[in-house]
Amino acid sequence: MSLELFGLQGIPLVQEGDNIANLILDALKRENQTLEDGDIILIAETLISKAEGNFIKLGDILPSDDAIIFAKKSQKDSKLVEAIIQEAREVVEVGPDFIITETKQGFVCANSGIDESNVDDGLATPIPENSDLSARRIREELEEASGKNLAIIITDTQGRAFRVGAVGVALGCSGIDPLWKRQGEKDLYGRELQTTEVATADELAAAASLIQGQADEGLPIVIVRGFKAFNNLRNPDSTISPLLRPKEFDVFRK
């Protein structure tokens, strides 16, 4: 089994109102590439927020009392902290150089997923308002243009509890189930799997993150080709929600 990943060259700095599907099609044309059945297109979340005009103007923010308190504890700018609070359902924990929150979309992550990189000074981009919907729109446009069955995954990089370093994770998806439930399959010794569930969208996002990079690589869109389970996981109505652990099962927040 082999898996092919390649980053699309020449994606311009995205502006508000840009059509991401068209940018992908233009980049493929320049590289003499075409989309194939089963292609999975992974797109960095910053592109989505920028194209949708989803910016935070940090200079316009007035910090609250809570933001000032959290800023001192986390050693962050109080205006950024206020933005983090506004993008959160719940502040889970505050520590040196981090604020763990549950975002409006239900992700538990550092700093509500707000990103200050790859945007103009004084701006920040929050997590897209609805990554599943954004992914679906892009997939439908690309499928109509190509005639192929595709999947889209919106990616971010986040830290992990008990581990050092950031990895790629999925924020939204369309066209493929994000969770591969393998209960009932057999292992090498013929034993039936009882609980095995694979966070496929996160694994694909992590693989793409190696190409997307974290600095000036300029490869925010990666295509994965040859994923053998695509047909098994194909789902035009998929969302990211199966990957979100319900709070009642989160033993670390009880």
Side-chain angles (χ1 to χ4, degrees):
M1 177 179 174
S2 63
L3 196 64
E4 180 183 0
L5 293 90
F6 59 93
L8 288 184
Q9 303 282 346
I11 299 295
L13 292 176
V14 170
Q15 305 295 321
E16 182 176 353
D18 282 347
N19 184 296
I20 300 295
N22 286 343
L23 293 180
I24 292 170
L25 292 170
D26 290 344
L28 287 165
K29 186 176 181 179
R30 285 194 300 271
E31 296 184 31
N32 294 315
Q33 290 271 8
T34 57
L35 292 169
E36 298 182 5
D37 273 321
D39 280 353
I40 304 169
I41 302 150
L42 297 105
I43 306 170
E45 52 87 20
T46 302
L47 266 69
I48 303 299
S49 288
K50 290 169 74 173
E52 294 176 349
N54 192 12
F55 295 102
I56 297 170
K57 295 181 179 179
L58 296 174
D60 294 345
I61 292 177
L62 181 64
S64 62
D65 290 342
D66 282 344
I68 293 170
I69 293 169
F70 294 161
K72 289 179 180 178
K73 187 173 182 180
S74 64
Q75 302 174 22
K76 290 184 176 296
D77 180 83
S78 60
K79 292 186 177 184
L80 174 60
V81 172
E82 179 61 29
I84 291 168
I85 293 171
Q86 291 180 11
E87 291 296 317
R89 289 179 186 168
E90 175 188 350
V91 175
V92 177
E93 187 63 66
V94 181
D97 198 36
F98 68 81
I99 300 175
I100 304 300
T101 68
E102 179 181 341
T103 72
K104 295 174 182 177
Q105 299 85 351
F107 303 109
V108 177
C109 60
N111 309 322
S112 295
I114 291 176
D115 196 346
E116 294 182 272
S117 61
N118 293 310
V119 291
D120 293 333
D121 289 341
L123 297 179
T125 53
I127 286 175
E129 293 182 2
N130 189 332
S131 294
D132 290 325
L133 180 58
S134 300
R136 181 169 189 149
R137 287 171 175 167
I138 295 169
R139 177 182 62 82
E140 289 176 346
E141 287 187 58
L142 292 176
E143 287 186 339
E144 182 177 357
S146 66
K148 306 298 184 181
N149 289 326
L150 308 169
I152 303 290
I153 296 176
I154 309 300
T155 70
D156 191 12
T157 50
Q158 296 180 0
R160 302 151 295 159
F162 312 117
R163 307 280 286 191
V164 175
V167 298
V169 298
L171 297 183
C173 65
S174 180
I176 188 172
D177 281 326
L179 189 66
W180 187 359
K181 298 183 178 183
R182 307 201 66 176
Q183 297 95 328
E185 297 184 37
K186 301 292 181 63
D187 70 8
L188 291 174
Y189 293 87
R191 290 188 289 262
E192 188 172 290
L193 301 178
Q194 302 296 318
T195 60
T196 303
E197 296 181 332
V198 181
T200 307
D202 281 344
E203 291 196 320
L204 291 165
S209 182
L210 294 172
I211 296 174
Q212 290 171 327
Q214 304 300 316
D216 62 355
E217 289 84 353
L219 294 169
I221 299 175
V222 172
I223 295 179
V224 174
R225 181 167 292 166
F227 182 53
K228 300 298 184 184
F230 178 88
N231 289 333
N232 290 340
L233 297 174
R234 172 70 173 167
N235 181 359
D237 298 317
S238 64
T239 70
I240 206 66
S241 60
L243 289 185
L244 303 183
R245 188 185 301 277
K247 187 175 180 180
E248 60 265 30
F249 298 118
D250 183 351
V251 298
F252 300 103
R253 283 200 289 164
K254 287 186 176 180

Coordinates of all heavy atoms in Angstrom, one line a residue, residues 141-235:
E141 N -18.2 22.4 -5.4 CA -17.7 23.2 -6.5 C -16.7 22.4 -7.3 O -16.7 22.3 -8.5 CB -17.1 24.5 -6.1 CG -18.1 25.5 -5.7 CD -17.5 26.9 -5.4 OE1 -16.8 27.4 -6.3 OE2 -17.6 27.4 -4.3
L142 N -15.8 21.7 -6.6 CA -14.7 21.0 -7.2 C -15.3 19.7 -7.9 O -14.8 19.3 -9.0 CB -13.6 20.6 -6.2 CG -12.8 21.8 -5.7 CD1 -11.8 21.3 -4.6 CD2 -12.0 22.4 -6.8
E143 N -16.3 19.1 -7.3 CA -16.9 17.9 -7.9 C -17.6 18.2 -9.1 O -17.6 17.5 -10.1 CB -17.8 17.2 -6.8 CG -17.0 16.5 -5.7 CD -17.9 15.6 -4.8 OE1 -19.1 15.9 -4.8 OE2 -17.3 14.7 -4.2
E144 N -18.3 19.4 -9.1 CA -19.0 19.8 -10.3 C -18.1 20.1 -11.4 O -18.3 19.8 -12.6 CB -19.9 21.0 -10.0 CG -20.7 21.5 -11.2 CD -21.6 22.7 -10.8 OE1 -21.6 23.1 -9.7 OE2 -22.3 23.2 -11.7
A145 N -16.9 20.7 -11.1 CA -16.0 21.1 -12.1 C -15.2 19.9 -12.7 O -14.8 19.8 -13.9 CB -15.0 22.1 -11.6
S146 N -15.0 18.9 -11.8 CA -14.1 17.8 -12.2 C -14.9 16.5 -12.6 O -14.3 15.6 -13.3 CB -13.1 17.4 -11.1 OG -13.8 16.9 -9.9
G147 N -16.1 16.3 -12.0 CA -16.8 15.1 -12.2 C -16.3 14.0 -11.4 O -16.7 12.8 -11.7
K148 N -15.5 14.2 -10.4 CA -14.9 13.2 -9.5 C -15.5 13.2 -8.1 O -16.0 14.2 -7.7 CB -13.4 13.4 -9.4 CG -12.7 13.5 -10.8 CD -12.8 12.3 -11.6 CE -12.0 12.4 -12.9 NZ -12.1 11.1 -13.7
N149 N -15.4 12.1 -7.4 CA -15.8 12.0 -6.0 C -14.6 12.4 -5.2 O -13.6 11.8 -5.2 CB -16.2 10.6 -5.7 CG -17.6 10.2 -6.3 OD1 -18.4 11.0 -6.5 ND2 -17.7 8.9 -6.7
L150 N -14.8 13.5 -4.4 CA -13.7 14.1 -3.6 C -14.1 14.2 -2.2 O -15.2 14.0 -1.8 CB -13.4 15.4 -4.2 CG -13.1 15.5 -5.7 CD1 -13.1 17.0 -6.1 CD2 -11.8 14.8 -6.1
A151 N -13.1 14.5 -1.4 CA -13.3 14.9 0.0 C -12.5 16.1 0.4 O -11.4 16.3 -0.2 CB -13.0 13.8 1.0
I152 N -13.0 16.9 1.3 CA -12.3 18.1 1.7 C -12.1 18.0 3.2 O -13.1 17.7 4.0 CB -13.0 19.4 1.4 CG1 -13.3 19.5 -0.1 CG2 -12.3 20.6 1.9 CD1 -12.1 19.8 -0.9
I153 N -10.9 18.3 3.7 CA -10.7 18.4 5.2 C -10.0 19.8 5.5 O -9.0 20.1 4.8 CB -9.8 17.3 5.7 CG1 -10.5 15.9 5.5 CG2 -9.4 17.5 7.1 CD1 -9.6 14.7 5.8
I154 N -10.6 20.5 6.4 CA -10.1 21.8 6.8 C -9.2 21.5 8.0 O -9.6 20.8 9.0 CB -11.2 22.8 7.3 CG1 -12.2 22.9 6.2 CG2 -10.5 24.1 7.6 CD1 -11.7 23.4 4.8
T155 N -7.9 22.0 8.0 CA -6.9 21.6 8.9 C -6.4 22.7 9.8 O -6.5 23.9 9.4 CB -5.7 20.9 8.3 OG1 -5.0 22.0 7.6 CG2 -6.1 19.8 7.3
D156 N -5.9 22.4 11.0 CA -5.3 23.3 11.9 C -4.1 22.6 12.5 O -4.0 21.4 12.4 CB -6.3 23.8 12.9 CG -5.8 25.0 13.8 OD1 -4.8 25.6 13.4 OD2 -6.4 25.3 14.8
T157 N -3.3 23.3 13.2 CA -2.3 22.7 14.1 C -2.5 23.0 15.5 O -2.8 24.2 15.8 CB -0.8 23.1 13.7 OG1 -0.8 24.5 13.6 CG2 -0.4 22.5 12.4
Q158 N -2.5 22.0 16.4 CA -2.9 22.2 17.8 C -2.0 21.3 18.6 O -1.4 20.3 18.2 CB -4.3 21.8 18.0 CG -5.3 22.7 17.3 CD -6.8 22.3 17.6 OE1 -7.0 21.4 18.3 NE2 -7.7 23.0 17.0
G159 N -1.8 21.7 19.9 CA -1.1 20.9 20.8 C -1.9 19.8 21.4 O -3.1 19.8 21.1
R160 N -1.3 19.0 22.2 CA -2.0 17.8 22.7 C -1.7 17.7 24.2 O -0.6 18.0 24.7 CB -1.6 16.5 22.0 CG -1.8 16.5 20.5 CD -0.8 15.6 19.9 NE 0.6 16.2 20.0 CZ 1.7 15.4 19.9 NH1 1.6 14.2 19.6 NH2 2.9 16.0 20.1
A161 N -2.7 17.3 25.0 CA -2.5 17.0 26.4 C -1.5 15.9 26.6 O -1.5 14.9 25.8 CB -3.8 16.6 27.0
F162 N -0.6 16.1 27.5 CA 0.5 15.2 27.9 C 1.6 15.0 26.8 O 2.4 14.1 27.0 CB -0.1 13.8 28.2 CG -1.3 13.9 29.1 CD1 -2.5 13.5 28.8 CD2 -1.1 14.4 30.4 CE1 -3.6 13.5 29.6 CE2 -2.2 14.5 31.3 CZ -3.5 14.1 30.9
R163 N 1.5 15.7 25.7 CA 2.5 15.6 24.7 C 3.1 17.0 24.3 O 2.3 18.0 24.3 CB 2.0 14.9 23.4 CG 1.3 13.6 23.6 CD 2.2 12.5 23.8 NE 2.8 12.1 22.5 CZ 3.5 10.9 22.3 NH1 3.7 10.1 23.3 NH2 4.0 10.7 21.2
V164 N 4.3 17.1 23.9 CA 4.9 18.3 23.5 C 4.9 18.5 22.0 O 5.0 17.5 21.3 CB 6.4 18.4 24.0 CG1 7.1 19.7 23.5 CG2 6.5 18.4 25.5
G165 N 4.6 19.7 21.5 CA 4.6 19.9 20.1 C 3.2 19.9 19.5 O 2.3 19.3 20.0
A166 N 3.1 20.6 18.4 CA 1.8 20.7 17.7 C 1.7 19.7 16.5 O 2.7 19.3 15.9 CB 1.6 22.1 17.1
V167 N 0.5 19.2 16.2 CA 0.3 18.3 15.1 C -0.9 18.8 14.3 O -1.8 19.6 14.8 CB 0.0 16.9 15.6 CG1 1.2 16.3 16.3 CG2 -1.2 16.8 16.5
G168 N -1.1 18.3 13.1 CA -2.2 18.7 12.3 C -3.5 18.0 12.8 O -3.4 16.8 13.2
V169 N -4.6 18.7 12.8 CA -5.9 18.1 13.2 C -6.9 18.7 12.3 O -6.7 19.6 11.6 CB -6.3 18.5 14.7 CG1 -5.3 17.9 15.7 CG2 -6.4 20.0 14.8
A170 N -8.0 18.0 12.2 CA -9.1 18.3 11.3 C -10.2 19.2 12.1 O -10.6 18.8 13.2 CB -9.8 17.1 10.8
L171 N -10.6 20.3 11.5 CA -11.6 21.2 12.0 C -12.9 21.0 11.3 O -14.0 21.3 11.9 CB -11.2 22.7 11.9 CG -10.0 23.1 12.6 CD1 -9.8 24.6 12.4 CD2 -10.0 22.8 14.1
G172 N -12.9 20.5 10.1 CA -14.1 20.3 9.3 C -13.9 19.4 8.2 O -12.7 19.2 7.8
C173 N -14.9 18.7 7.7 CA -14.7 17.8 6.6 C -16.0 17.7 5.8 O -17.1 18.0 6.3 CB -14.3 16.4 7.1 SG -15.6 15.6 8.1
S174 N -15.9 17.2 4.6 CA -17.0 16.9 3.8 C -16.6 15.9 2.7 O -15.5 15.9 2.1 CB -17.5 18.2 3.0 OG -18.6 17.9 2.2
G175 N -17.5 14.9 2.6 CA -17.2 13.8 1.6 C -16.6 12.6 2.2 O -16.6 11.5 1.5
I176 N -16.2 12.6 3.4 CA -15.5 11.4 4.0 C -15.8 11.4 5.5 O -15.8 12.5 6.2 CB -14.0 11.4 3.8 CG1 -13.4 10.1 4.2 CG2 -13.3 12.6 4.4 CD1 -11.9 9.9 3.8
D177 N -16.2 10.3 6.1 CA -16.4 10.2 7.5 C -15.0 10.5 8.2 O -14.0 9.9 7.9 CB -16.9 8.8 7.9 CG -18.4 8.7 7.7 OD1 -19.1 9.7 7.8 OD2 -18.8 7.6 7.3
P178 N -15.0 11.3 9.3 CA -13.8 11.6 10.0 C -13.3 10.5 10.9 O -12.2 10.5 11.4 CB -14.1 12.9 10.7 CG -15.5 12.8 11.0 CD -16.1 12.1 9.8
L179 N -14.3 9.6 11.3 CA -14.0 8.6 12.2 C -14.2 7.2 11.6 O -15.3 6.9 11.1 CB -14.9 8.7 13.5 CG -14.6 7.8 14.7 CD1 -13.2 8.2 15.3 CD2 -15.7 8.0 15.7
W180 N -13.2 6.3 11.6 CA -13.3 5.0 11.0 C -13.6 4.0 12.1 O -12.7 3.7 12.9 CB -12.0 4.7 10.3 CG -12.0 3.5 9.5 CD1 -13.0 2.6 9.3 CD2 -10.9 3.0 8.7 NE1 -12.6 1.5 8.5 CE2 -11.3 1.8 8.1 CE3 -9.6 3.4 8.4 CZ2 -10.5 1.0 7.2 CZ3 -8.8 2.7 7.6 CH2 -9.2 1.5 7.0
K181 N -14.8 3.5 12.2 CA -15.2 2.6 13.2 C -14.9 1.2 12.7 O -15.5 0.7 11.8 CB -16.7 2.7 13.6 CG -17.0 4.1 14.1 CD -18.5 4.2 14.6 CE -18.7 5.6 15.2 NZ -20.1 5.7 15.6
R182 N -13.9 0.5 13.4 CA -13.5 -0.8 12.9 C -13.9 -2.0 13.7 O -13.4 -3.1 13.6 CB -11.9 -0.8 12.7 CG -11.5 0.4 11.9 CD -10.1 0.2 11.3 NE -10.1 -0.9 10.3 CZ -9.0 -1.2 9.6 NH1 -7.9 -0.5 9.7 NH2 -9.0 -2.2 8.7
Q183 N -14.8 -1.7 14.6 CA -15.4 -2.8 15.5 C -15.9 -3.9 14.6 O -16.6 -3.6 13.6 CB -16.5 -2.3 16.4 CG -16.0 -1.3 17.4 CD -16.2 0.1 17.0 OE1 -16.2 0.4 15.8 NE2 -16.5 1.0 17.9
G184 N -15.7 -5.1 14.9 CA -16.2 -6.3 14.1 C -15.2 -6.8 13.1 O -15.3 -8.0 12.7
E185 N -14.1 -6.0 12.8 CA -13.1 -6.5 11.9 C -12.2 -7.4 12.7 O -12.2 -7.5 14.0 CB -12.3 -5.4 11.3 CG -13.1 -4.5 10.4 CD -12.3 -3.4 9.7 OE1 -11.1 -3.7 9.4 OE2 -12.8 -2.3 9.6
K186 N -11.3 -8.2 12.0 CA -10.5 -9.2 12.7 C -9.0 -8.7 12.7 O -8.6 -8.0 11.8 CB -10.5 -10.5 12.0 CG -11.9 -11.2 11.9 CD -12.4 -11.6 13.3 CE -13.8 -12.2 13.2 NZ -13.8 -13.5 12.4
D187 N -8.3 -9.0 13.8 CA -6.9 -8.7 13.8 C -6.1 -9.8 13.2 O -6.7 -10.8 12.6 CB -6.4 -8.4 15.3 CG -6.4 -9.6 16.2 OD1 -6.6 -10.7 15.7 OD2 -6.2 -9.4 17.4
L188 N -4.8 -9.8 13.2 CA -3.9 -10.8 12.6 C -4.1 -12.2 13.2 O -3.8 -13.2 12.6 CB -2.4 -10.4 12.7 CG -2.0 -9.2 11.9 CD1 -0.6 -8.8 12.1 CD2 -2.2 -9.5 10.4
Y189 N -4.6 -12.2 14.4 CA -4.8 -13.5 15.1 C -6.3 -14.0 15.0 O -6.7 -14.9 15.7 CB -4.4 -13.5 16.5 CG -2.9 -13.3 16.6 CD1 -2.3 -12.0 16.6 CD2 -2.0 -14.4 16.7 CE1 -0.9 -11.9 16.7 CE2 -0.6 -14.3 16.8 CZ -0.1 -13.0 16.8 OH 1.3 -12.8 16.9
G190 N -7.1 -13.3 14.2 CA -8.5 -13.7 14.1 C -9.4 -13.2 15.2 O -10.6 -13.5 15.2
R191 N -8.9 -12.4 16.1 CA -9.7 -11.8 17.2 C -10.5 -10.7 16.6 O -10.0 -9.8 15.9 CB -8.9 -11.4 18.4 CG -8.3 -12.6 19.1 CD -7.7 -12.2 20.4 NE -6.4 -11.4 20.1 CZ -5.2 -11.9 20.2 NH1 -5.1 -13.2 20.5 NH2 -4.2 -11.2 19.9
E192 N -11.8 -10.6 17.1 CA -12.7 -9.5 16.6 C -12.4 -8.2 17.4 O -12.3 -8.2 18.6 CB -14.1 -9.9 16.8 CG -15.1 -8.9 16.1 CD -16.5 -9.5 16.2 OE1 -16.8 -10.4 15.5 OE2 -17.3 -8.9 17.0
L193 N -12.2 -7.1 16.6 CA -12.0 -5.8 17.3 C -13.2 -5.4 18.0 O -14.3 -5.4 17.4 CB -11.6 -4.8 16.2 CG -10.3 -5.1 15.4 CD1 -10.0 -4.0 14.4 CD2 -9.1 -5.3 16.3
Q194 N -13.1 -4.9 19.2 CA -14.2 -4.5 20.0 C -14.4 -3.0 20.1 O -15.6 -2.6 20.2 CB -14.0 -5.1 21.5 CG -13.9 -6.6 21.5 CD -15.1 -7.3 21.0 OE1 -16.3 -6.9 21.4 NE2 -14.9 -8.4 20.3
T195 N -13.4 -2.3 20.2 CA -13.5 -0.8 20.5 C -12.7 0.1 19.5 O -12.8 1.3 19.6 CB -13.0 -0.5 21.9 OG1 -11.6 -0.9 22.0 CG2 -13.8 -1.3 22.9
T196 N -12.0 -0.5 18.5 CA -11.1 0.3 17.7 C -11.9 1.3 16.8 O -12.7 0.9 16.0 CB -10.3 -0.6 16.8 OG1 -9.6 -1.6 17.7 CG2 -9.3 0.2 16.0
E197 N -11.5 2.6 17.0 CA -12.0 3.7 16.2 C -10.8 4.5 15.8 O -10.0 4.9 16.7 CB -13.1 4.5 16.9 CG -14.3 3.7 17.3 CD -15.4 4.5 18.0 OE1 -15.0 5.5 18.7 OE2 -16.6 4.2 17.8
V198 N -10.7 4.8 14.6 CA -9.5 5.6 14.1 C -9.9 7.0 13.7 O -10.9 7.2 12.9 CB -8.9 4.9 12.9 CG1 -7.7 5.6 12.4 CG2 -8.5 3.4 13.2
A199 N -9.2 8.0 14.2 CA -9.5 9.4 13.9 C -8.9 9.7 12.5 O -7.9 10.4 12.4 CB -9.0 10.3 14.9
T200 N -9.5 9.2 11.4 CA -8.9 9.2 10.1 C -8.6 10.7 9.7 O -7.6 11.0 9.1 CB -9.8 8.5 9.1 OG1 -10.1 7.2 9.6 CG2 -9.1 8.4 7.8
A201 N -9.6 11.5 9.9 CA -9.4 12.9 9.4 C -8.2 13.6 10.1 O -7.5 14.3 9.5 CB -10.7 13.7 9.7
D202 N -8.0 13.3 11.4 CA -6.9 13.9 12.1 C -5.6 13.3 11.6 O -4.6 14.0 11.5 CB -7.0 13.6 13.6 CG -8.0 14.6 14.3 OD1 -8.3 15.6 13.7 OD2 -8.4 14.2 15.4
E203 N -5.6 12.0 11.3 CA -4.4 11.3 10.8 C -4.0 11.9 9.4 O -2.8 12.2 9.1 CB -4.6 9.8 10.7 CG -4.6 9.1 12.1 CD -4.5 7.6 12.0 OE1 -5.0 7.0 11.0 OE2 -3.8 7.1 12.9
L204 N -5.0 12.1 8.6 CA -4.7 12.7 7.3 C -4.3 14.2 7.4 O -3.3 14.6 6.7 CB -6.0 12.7 6.4 CG -6.4 11.3 5.9 CD1 -7.8 11.3 5.4 CD2 -5.5 10.8 4.8
A205 N -4.8 14.9 8.4 CA -4.4 16.3 8.6 C -3.0 16.3 9.1 O -2.2 17.2 8.7 CB -5.4 16.9 9.6
A206 N -2.6 15.4 10.0 CA -1.2 15.3 10.5 C -0.3 15.1 9.4 O 0.8 15.6 9.3 CB -1.1 14.3 11.6
A207 N -0.6 14.1 8.5 CA 0.2 13.8 7.3 C 0.4 15.1 6.4 O 1.5 15.4 6.0 CB -0.3 12.7 6.5
A208 N -0.7 15.8 6.2 CA -0.6 16.9 5.3 C 0.2 18.1 6.0 O 0.9 18.8 5.3 CB -2.0 17.4 5.0
S209 N 0.1 18.1 7.3 CA 0.8 19.2 8.0 C 2.4 19.1 7.8 O 3.0 20.2 7.8 CB 0.5 19.1 9.5 OG 1.1 20.1 10.2
L210 N 2.9 17.9 7.5 CA 4.3 17.8 7.3 C 4.7 18.6 6.0 O 5.8 19.1 5.9 CB 4.7 16.3 7.1 CG 4.6 15.5 8.4 CD1 4.8 14.0 8.0 CD2 5.6 15.9 9.4
I211 N 3.8 18.7 5.1 CA 4.0 19.4 3.8 C 3.6 20.9 4.0 O 4.3 21.8 3.5 CB 3.2 18.8 2.7 CG1 3.8 17.4 2.4 CG2 3.4 19.6 1.4 CD1 3.0 16.6 1.4
Q212 N 2.5 21.1 4.6 CA 2.0 22.5 4.8 C 3.0 23.3 5.6 O 3.2 24.5 5.3 CB 0.6 22.5 5.5 CG -0.5 22.0 4.6 CD -1.8 21.8 5.4 OE1 -1.7 21.5 6.6 NE2 -2.9 22.0 4.8
G213 N 3.6 22.7 6.6 CA 4.6 23.4 7.4 C 4.0 24.5 8.4 O 2.7 24.6 8.4
Q214 N 4.8 25.2 9.1 CA 4.4 26.1 10.1 C 4.9 27.5 9.9 O 4.6 28.4 10.6 CB 4.8 25.6 11.5 CG 4.3 24.3 11.9 CD 2.8 24.2 11.9 OE1 2.1 25.0 12.4 NE2 2.3 23.1 11.3
A215 N 5.8 27.7 8.9 CA 6.4 29.0 8.7 C 6.1 29.6 7.3 O 5.0 29.9 7.0 CB 7.9 28.8 9.0
D216 N 7.2 29.6 6.5 CA 7.0 30.3 5.2 C 7.0 29.3 4.0 O 7.3 29.7 2.9 CB 8.1 31.3 5.0 CG 9.5 30.7 4.9 OD1 9.6 29.5 5.2 OD2 10.5 31.4 4.7
E217 N 6.5 28.1 4.3 CA 6.5 27.1 3.2 C 5.6 27.5 2.1 O 5.8 27.1 0.9 CB 6.1 25.7 3.8 CG 7.1 25.0 4.6 CD 7.1 25.5 6.1 OE1 6.3 26.5 6.4 OE2 7.8 24.9 6.9
G218 N 4.5 28.1 2.3 CA 3.6 28.6 1.3 C 2.9 27.5 0.6 O 2.6 27.5 -0.6
L219 N 2.6 26.4 1.3 CA 1.8 25.2 0.8 C 0.6 24.9 1.6 O 0.6 23.9 2.3 CB 2.8 24.0 0.7 CG 4.0 24.1 -0.3 CD1 4.9 23.0 -0.1 CD2 3.5 24.2 -1.7
P220 N -0.4 25.8 1.6 CA -1.5 25.6 2.5 C -2.5 24.6 2.1 O -3.4 24.2 2.8 CB -2.1 27.0 2.6 CG -1.8 27.5 1.2 CD -0.5 27.0 0.9
I221 N -2.4 24.1 0.8 CA -3.3 23.1 0.3 C -2.5 21.8 -0.1 O -1.6 21.9 -0.9 CB -4.1 23.7 -0.9 CG1 -4.9 24.9 -0.4 CG2 -5.0 22.6 -1.5 CD1 -5.6 25.6 -1.6
V222 N -2.9 20.7 0.4 CA -2.3 19.4 0.1 C -3.3 18.4 -0.4 O -4.4 18.4 0.1 CB -1.6 18.9 1.4 CG1 -1.0 17.5 1.1 CG2 -0.5 19.8 1.8
I223 N -3.0 17.7 -1.4 CA -3.8 16.6 -1.9 C -3.3 15.3 -1.5 O -2.1 15.0 -1.7 CB -4.0 16.7 -3.4 CG1 -4.7 18.1 -3.8 CG2 -4.8 15.5 -4.0 CD1 -4.9 18.3 -5.3
V224 N -4.1 14.5 -0.9 CA -3.8 13.1 -0.6 C -4.5 12.2 -1.6 O -5.7 12.3 -1.9 CB -4.3 12.7 0.8 CG1 -4.1 11.2 1.1 CG2 -3.5 13.5 1.9
R225 N -3.7 11.3 -2.2 CA -4.2 10.4 -3.3 C -3.8 9.0 -3.0 O -2.7 8.7 -2.5 CB -3.6 10.9 -4.6 CG -4.0 10.1 -5.9 CD -3.6 10.8 -7.1 NE -4.3 12.0 -7.3 CZ -4.0 13.0 -8.2 NH1 -2.9 12.8 -8.9 NH2 -4.7 14.1 -8.3
G226 N -4.8 8.1 -3.2 CA -4.5 6.7 -3.0 C -4.9 6.1 -1.7 O -4.4 5.0 -1.3
F227 N -5.7 6.9 -0.9 CA -6.2 6.4 0.4 C -7.2 5.3 0.2 O -8.3 5.5 -0.3 CB -6.8 7.5 1.2 CG -7.2 7.1 2.6 CD1 -6.3 6.5 3.5 CD2 -8.5 7.4 3.0 CE1 -6.8 6.1 4.7 CE2 -8.9 7.0 4.3 CZ -8.0 6.4 5.1
K228 N -6.8 4.0 0.5 CA -7.6 2.9 0.1 C -9.0 2.8 0.8 O -9.9 2.2 0.2 CB -6.8 1.6 0.5 CG -5.5 1.5 -0.2 CD -5.6 1.4 -1.7 CE -4.3 1.2 -2.4 NZ -4.4 1.2 -3.9
A229 N -9.1 3.4 1.9 CA -10.4 3.4 2.7 C -11.4 4.5 2.2 O -12.5 4.6 2.8 CB -10.2 3.5 4.2
F230 N -11.0 5.2 1.2 CA -11.9 6.3 0.8 C -13.3 5.9 0.5 O -14.3 6.4 1.0 CB -11.3 7.0 -0.5 CG -12.2 8.2 -1.0 CD1 -12.0 9.5 -0.5 CD2 -13.1 8.0 -1.9 CE1 -12.8 10.5 -0.9 CE2 -13.9 9.0 -2.4 CZ -13.8 10.3 -1.9
N231 N -13.5 4.8 -0.3 CA -14.8 4.4 -0.7 C -15.6 3.9 0.5 O -16.8 4.1 0.6 CB -14.7 3.3 -1.7 CG -14.3 3.8 -3.1 OD1 -14.5 5.0 -3.4 ND2 -13.6 3.0 -3.9
N232 N -14.9 3.2 1.5 CA -15.6 2.7 2.7 C -16.1 3.9 3.5 O -17.1 3.8 4.2 CB -14.6 1.9 3.5 CG -14.4 0.5 2.9 OD1 -15.1 0.1 2.0 ND2 -13.3 -0.1 3.3
L233 N -15.3 5.0 3.5 CA -15.6 6.1 4.4 C -16.4 7.2 3.7 O -16.7 8.2 4.3 CB -14.3 6.7 5.0 CG -13.6 5.7 5.9 CD1 -12.2 6.4 6.3 CD2 -14.4 5.4 7.1
R234 N -16.7 7.0 2.4 CA -17.3 8.1 1.6 C -18.7 8.4 2.2 O -19.5 7.6 2.5 CB -17.5 7.5 0.2 CG -18.4 8.4 -0.8 CD -17.7 9.7 -1.1 NE -18.4 10.4 -2.1 CZ -18.2 11.7 -2.4 NH1 -17.2 12.3 -1.9 NH2 -18.9 12.3 -3.3
N235 N -18.9 9.7 2.4 CA -20.1 10.2 3.0 C -20.3 11.7 2.6 O -19.7 12.6 3.2 CB -20.1 10.0 4.5 CG -21.4 10.5 5.2 OD1 -22.3 10.9 4.5 ND2 -21.5 10.4 6.5

